[in-house]
Amino acid sequence: MRPLRPAVFLDRDDTLNVNADLPPEAWARTKEGDLLDPAFVELIPGALEACRRLSDAGFVLVVITNQGGVARGGGSTRDIDACNTALRALLSPSDDHDEHVPAPFRASVVTASYSAPHHPEGDVPPFDDEHHWRKPGPGMIEAAAHELGLDPPRSWMVGDKQRDLDAATNAGIPPKRTILLAPGSPCPDLAAAADRILASAIDPSQTTRLTLRASSGAPLGDERARETVIATARAIAERTGVRLVDLDTADDRVTITLATHRLGALGFLAELRRLTNAWSRARAGADLWPTDR
Ligand SMILES: [Mg+2]
């Protein structure tokens, strides 16, 4: 028997493709939030690269999406399939963007897409009821695991809604392997989620964990300050190639775990302190962190 494989289950709308920020024309036939027109399928920047890195690392990528707009009369399951096909075509490696090959036949880093057209408030049978495929139900993940030979305990879920994460835990994916994308959080987008997933495979003995504590008060209680510290740490990691394994903030400190030796981590922390102190000085006339530590 073939061994079970780990997967990354991906929510679709606002995880892989732009949804909430679509123009009003996108919602001509549907309620806002129900994307059923393939002409409006557009990747979120960085999503393809993130998928490619996860795929290269050996994860099977599976899209699972609630599409209750069908139950509410905004389109058909054929419209869902058309959107999923358009998305999978966009998620094909760049060297496979041969325009002579029709989009549905290009290779995609995504192995499969599962959709739930049901909605309990819908009026289009047979989709006008609650269904175990509809997130937070576990049905789509269970079906994919069965059909594709996947291993939920070793898999991950990434989505922008709590129900995405609940569907995963209901299907046997450990809570610590579920990632909620949220602006201003350590995981604002799929690129950051991919960093976290790939970093989890790193041997902890090869990492260094360091904390910066505020000079006084609780400056990271300020949302903009917290977001700036997080964005700066990610930018330094990208520029230096040092992998940011974990980043945790409290109101008075930031703790980072880096896949490097202590000396490299101290250099990283010094750069983070220098840049964010300069930002804070320009903004508020005071340092965030003591400079003599
Ligand atoms: Mg979503």
Side-chain angles (χ1 to χ4, degrees), residues 5-259:
R5 298 175 294 171
V8 179
F9 293 95
L10 299 160
D11 167 53
R12 197 188 79 178
D13 300 334
D14 287 326
T15 295
L16 289 165
N17 56 285
V18 179
N19 194 56
D21 292 337
L22 283 176
E25 310 90 85
W27 318 116
R29 288 187 304 152
T30 64
K31 279 194 178 180
E32 206 161 309
D34 295 331
L35 174 59
L36 288 164
D37 184 342
F40 290 97
V41 174
E42 177 192 335
L43 281 185
I44 292 171
L48 171 59
E49 183 56 27
C51 285
R52 200 178 350 213
R53 288 164 56 215
L54 292 169
S55 174
D56 288 348
F59 289 101
V60 179
L61 303 187
V62 179
V63 177
I64 59 167
T65 177
N66 280 2
Q67 293 300 328
V70 171
R72 291 187 288 219
S76 68
T77 53
R78 232 172 302 154
D79 296 322
I80 300 179
D81 291 342
C83 290
N84 290 344
T85 300
L87 180 66
R88 287 175 63 183
L90 291 174
L91 290 169
S92 62
S94 56
D95 54 3
D96 206 23
H97 273 161
D98 183 345
E99 58 192 33
H100 300 296
V101 180
F105 299 102
R106 288 181 206 144
S108 176
V109 288
V110 168
T111 296
S113 309
Y114 290 78
S115 310
H118 312 269
H119 199 288
E121 288 158 25
D123 50 15
V124 178
F127 305 123
D128 55 344
D129 58 357
E130 197 48 89
H131 193 278
H132 73 290
W133 269 42
R134 181 177 148 76
K135 293 178 279 185
M140 290 190 281
I141 294 175
E142 288 174 350
H146 178 72
E147 290 170 11
L148 303 172
L150 308 176
D151 187 11
R154 287 195 298 138
S155 295
W156 291 78
M157 173 79 218
V158 183
D160 70 310
K161 296 262 167 40
Q162 184 58 42
R163 68 179 179 212
D164 299 322
L165 278 54
D166 293 343
T169 50
N170 287 337
I173 293 175
K176 66 179 182 195
R177 287 176 172 260
T178 63
I179 299 177
L180 183 67
L181 304 183
S185 78
C187 275
D189 55 25
L190 191 54
D195 285 346
R196 187 167 143 198
I197 292 168
L198 296 173
S200 76
I202 292 174
D203 177 354
S205 71
Q206 306 295 312
T207 66
T208 308
R209 184 178 160 93
L210 293 170
T211 296
L212 262 180
R213 287 178 201 283
S215 307
S216 63
L220 299 197
D222 176 82
E223 196 177 338
R224 224 175 121 209
R226 192 168 57 88
E227 283 178 12
T228 300
V229 169
I230 292 169
T232 305
R234 291 193 63 205
I236 297 170
E238 203 171 309
R239 177 160 51 79
T240 58
V242 173
R243 189 177 270 181
L244 187 56
V245 178
D246 193 34
L247 187 153
D248 189 39
T249 60
D251 286 354
D252 64 344
R253 63 184 178 275
V254 56
T255 300
I256 55 175
T257 308
L258 298 158

